[in-house]
């Protein structure tokens, strides 16, 4: 694919994406209101970054901003539809968005292991805070940590007894 051909694909994909958004709105699958149009623009920017990466896979650095814009765009669309008080529960996705971008860059890029440490830290924090946001789940993850710790101690004790 030449550069001219690659450039002519992107505007077409943008129009297709916009057409899908408006069609889904007409069917009631999404609630597209002009006063919330800015949230769809954020989502569209993420799609454009990902299209840029898919058009030239050597530009894996586009995955990070593309993923962040997609996650944040979906968050804003969700809040615009169901109420901004929902942000109280979904704010941990602000931590998960760059984590997902780093995982994407690792998997689809040069497998740079340096991306994994911050990705795991952000993922762990994001998941803990997300679980903490939902009342019934805030009791589940500490119990899971206790169970994991207990199983580690039991397996260590049984290994020590075998020696």
């Amino acid at each position: 694919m030449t550069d001219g051909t690659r450039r002519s694909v992107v505007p077409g994909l943008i129009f297709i994406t916009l057409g899908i958004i408006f069609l889904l709105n007409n069917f009631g699958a999404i609630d597209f209101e002009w006063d919330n149009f800015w949230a769809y623009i954020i989502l569209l920017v993420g799609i454009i970054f990902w299209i840029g990466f898919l058009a030239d896979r050597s530009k894996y650095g586009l995955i990070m901003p593309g993923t962040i814009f997609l996650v944040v765009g979906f968050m804003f669309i969700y809040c615009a539809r169901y109420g901004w008080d929902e942000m109280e529960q979904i704010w941990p996705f602000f931590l998960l968005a760059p984590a997902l971008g780093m995982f994407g860059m690792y998997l689809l890029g040069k497998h740079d292991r340096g991306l994994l440490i911050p990705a795991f830290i952000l993922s762990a924090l994001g998941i803990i805070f997300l679980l903490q946001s939902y009342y019934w789940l805030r009791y589940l993850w500490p119990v899971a940590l206790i169970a994991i710790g207990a199983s580690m101690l039991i397996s260590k004790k049984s290994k020590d007894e075998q020696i």
Side-chain angles (χ1 to χ4, degrees), residues 2 12 38-39 46 49 59 69 75 84 87 90 97 112 119:
T2 66
W38 61 272
F49 273 108
K59 296 180 180 174
F69 276 109
M75 287 173 60
W84 287 97
M87 190 61 75
I90 66 169
D112 180 5

Side-chain angles (χ1 to χ4, degrees), residues 13-148:
L13 290 173
I14 291 170
F15 279 108
I16 290 170
T17 303
L18 287 172
I20 290 170
I21 290 170
F22 289 121
L23 192 59
L24 289 172
N25 181 59
N26 289 341
F27 284 116
I30 61 173
D31 186 19
F32 185 81
E33 297 177 14
W34 287 104
D35 56 341
N36 295 324
F37 185 67
W38 61 272
Y40 291 94
I41 292 173
I42 292 172
L43 188 68
L44 183 62
V45 169
I47 292 169
I48 291 169
F49 273 108
W50 268 93
I51 289 171
F53 163 71
L54 294 173
D56 183 356
R57 295 205 179 228
S58 69
K59 296 180 180 174
Y60 63 92
L62 297 174
I63 294 171
M64 176 64 80
T67 304
I68 292 171
F69 276 109
L70 284 174
V71 171
V72 170
F74 279 120
M75 287 173 60
F76 289 163
I77 290 168
Y78 178 80
C79 286
R81 181 174 180 125
Y82 296 107
W84 287 97
D85 56 321
E86 291 294 318
M87 190 61 75
E88 187 175 333
Q89 280 77 40
I90 66 169
W91 71 265
F93 282 100
F94 285 118
L95 297 174
L96 292 170
L100 292 172
M102 286 181 228
F103 282 126
M105 286 178 65
Y106 174 79
L107 293 171
L108 301 172
K110 293 184 178 182
H111 302 292
D112 180 5
R113 291 177 161 248
L115 293 167
L116 294 179
I117 293 171
F120 278 118
I121 292 170
L122 287 171
S123 294
L125 288 172
I127 290 168
I128 287 169
F129 292 138
L130 190 62
L131 293 176
Q132 199 65 17
S133 295
Y134 292 96
Y135 183 76
W136 64 275
L137 287 175
R138 73 176 59 170
Y139 298 103
L140 182 64
W141 74 267
V143 172
L145 290 176
I146 293 168
I148 291 168

